[in-house]
Amino acid sequence: MNYIDYKQNHNYIEMVKRFTSPKVADAIINNILFTEKYLPKIENAIPDKQEQHLAYKQLGIMAFSAAEALWKSIEIAIINKCHEFGCNENNCVYRKYKKISDLNFAKNKSILEHLNTTNLLLVMPQDESGIEKLSHLRNHIHLTRINSDGDKSAEFTLSFVDNMLRLFYVTLNQLNTSIWYFNTPNACLKNFDNNSFDKTKALNDNNRKDHYTWKVIGAFFHIIDNISLTENDKYYLDQLNLSTSEICNYDVVIDYIGRKLYYIKRDFKSDEKYDRELTRILDTFKQWAPDKSTLISDIKKKKDYYFKLFAEM
């Protein structure tokens, strides 16, 4: 489905104006309308593929900037609602950003995680990773990023822009279900959410950890089976460098990989062939292991554990 399939029967222009100042609303709306106007014209108007690439990149950046401005505007609306309510609870988790200036250097990931925990938006783990990938692509506007990314190529196509626009409309569609909070004078978000922030955060953290656990296991299984890693696989393995124990369930990953390394031995006619393949697998694993981690040694220990366990049965 493309972004048009996500456009519901809403007055999106008026919706944007509910969440932000007239000046910012106009900028957001102009970005989106400009992107939608010229998106279908690029292929015919610009025959050169490299120039198409540049045009799609610029339109995608405009659409993503509109989504970013919308997310920050929601946080500003929360700040304003708290002031309107006369709340003096300075450490309230529902108002993560105490002042509007605090949002100047806030990362999209942090903002979306907070809005998700307040239940104003629903951002599933796979959506979070998708948004992070789009954000990474958007950052290619900085030509110096090409140096830091090495050989990683960025594809800017119609689908790239379409994903950016879909992000914008999905956000507004979700906000429409919370419109009561924004339209009600003196509304308190904590009361609106039945003070369930901590419960929601715990649930989201568990869902995120489960999601990353199985994605990492799947990527490692591709290495074991000598299947080329997809860009999706590489993305999740890259996340291991953030913090192995926090991003996924470390013990589950180690257990599944160790067990898999035990079971594949039956596919080899000799110990020598198995050992050679095991060396290939572990050497490839090392490319993705976080610095100073015990990932490889823990995998070896778990493999040996299963060899001993089944030998004794």
Side-chain angles (χ1 to χ4, degrees):
M1 291 195 295
N2 60 35
Y3 82 90
I4 295 173
D5 296 308
Y6 290 85
K7 289 184 75 171
Q8 299 178 6
N9 189 26
H10 301 314
N11 187 331
Y12 287 104
I13 293 176
E14 290 303 314
M15 287 176 70
V16 171
K17 290 179 179 178
R18 287 193 186 107
F19 306 119
T20 188
S21 67
K23 184 177 180 180
V24 175
D26 285 343
I28 291 173
I29 293 162
N30 288 339
N31 267 26
I32 294 298
L33 294 180
F34 182 92
T35 303
E36 291 183 342
K37 179 179 178 180
Y38 289 100
L39 180 59
K41 299 179 181 180
I42 288 177
E43 189 170 354
N44 292 328
I46 308 176
D48 183 85
K49 292 296 182 184
Q50 195 167 13
E51 290 181 355
Q52 282 185 18
H53 174 95
L54 292 172
Y56 283 129
K57 178 168 74 167
Q58 297 306 320
L59 288 183
I61 289 164
M62 289 183 69
F64 194 81
S65 295
E68 281 183 307
L70 184 58
W71 299 331
K72 288 189 176 182
S73 294
I74 300 165
E75 291 286 4
I76 291 171
I78 293 171
I79 295 170
N80 291 337
K81 292 292 284 184
C82 292
H83 289 322
E84 177 187 296
F85 187 62
C87 180
N88 295 316
E89 192 175 341
N90 291 325
N91 296 321
C92 179
V93 290
Y94 285 88
R95 191 171 72 240
K96 177 175 182 176
Y97 304 96
K98 312 308 177 189
K99 300 177 294 184
I100 293 175
S101 59
D102 293 341
L103 285 159
N104 290 340
F105 302 103
K107 293 183 178 180
N108 291 327
K109 185 175 183 179
S110 178
I111 292 172
L112 286 173
E113 184 178 332
H114 180 248
L115 293 176
N116 191 25
T117 313
T118 65
N119 284 313
L120 287 176
L121 293 181
L122 174 62
V123 187
M124 300 299 289
Q126 59 269 29
D127 299 326
E128 288 180 358
S129 60
I131 291 168
E132 198 163 333
K133 292 174 194 173
L134 288 175
S135 181
H136 180 81
L137 285 175
R138 187 283 308 270
N139 286 337
H140 275 77
I141 187 174
H142 305 295
L143 296 181
T144 53
R145 189 66 177 261
I146 297 171
N147 295 328
S148 61
D149 285 349
D151 294 330
K152 293 180 182 178
S153 59
E155 287 295 322
F156 299 107
T157 61
L158 187 148
S159 130
F160 164 71
V161 186
D162 189 83
N163 285 332
M164 298 295 195
L165 287 170
R166 183 166 71 242
L167 196 57
F168 176 79
Y169 284 111
V170 166
T171 298
L172 281 174
N173 291 340
Q174 291 192 10
L175 285 175
N176 193 55
T177 64
S178 304
I179 205 67
W180 178 89
Y181 164 68
F182 295 99
N183 286 349
T184 303
N186 298 323
C188 172
L189 185 53
K190 181 191 283 189
N191 293 336
F192 177 73
D193 190 45
N194 293 319
N195 196 19
S196 61
F197 190 95
D198 290 340
K199 291 180 181 178
T200 303
K201 186 178 187 309
L203 178 64
N204 290 345
D205 287 347
N206 286 334
N207 286 341
R208 187 182 300 109
K209 185 169 280 193
D210 284 346
H211 174 76
Y212 277 87
T213 296
W214 295 112
K215 289 295 184 179
V216 167
I217 289 172
F220 275 133
F221 273 23
H222 281 168
I223 292 173
I224 293 171
D225 296 332
N226 211 7
I227 296 172
S228 296
L229 293 176
T230 66
E231 287 305 311
N232 215 35
D233 290 332
K234 294 174 184 176
Y235 169 81
Y236 285 103
L237 290 175
D238 273 337
Q239 305 312 301
L240 289 176
N241 282 309
L242 300 179
S243 177
T244 310
S245 58
E246 292 178 9
I247 201 71
C248 61
N249 191 320
Y250 187 78
D251 291 339
V252 173
V253 170
I254 296 302
D255 187 68
Y256 269 78
I257 302 304
R259 200 182 326 171
K260 174 83 169 174
L261 292 178
Y262 163 78
Y263 279 121
I264 65 168
K265 188 176 188 302
R266 60 190 174 187
D267 298 330
F268 296 88
K269 294 181 179 180
S270 68
D271 290 344
E272 290 78 10
K273 289 183 178 181
Y274 171 72
D275 289 340
R276 281 200 300 271
E277 185 63 7
L278 186 61
T279 298
R280 177 196 70 80
I281 291 169
L282 293 176
D283 283 347
T284 308
F285 282 177
K286 288 177 185 175
Q287 299 173 24
W288 301 99
D291 292 339
K292 299 180 181 179
S293 82
T294 59
L295 180 70
I296 305 303
S297 60
D298 289 343
I299 287 173
K300 288 180 180 178
K301 288 176 184 176
K302 186 59 71 169
K303 169 188 68 72
D304 294 342
Y305 163 79
Y306 278 111
F307 270 101
K308 182 178 180 182
L309 175 66
F310 290 117
E312 296 174 349
M313 292 179 68

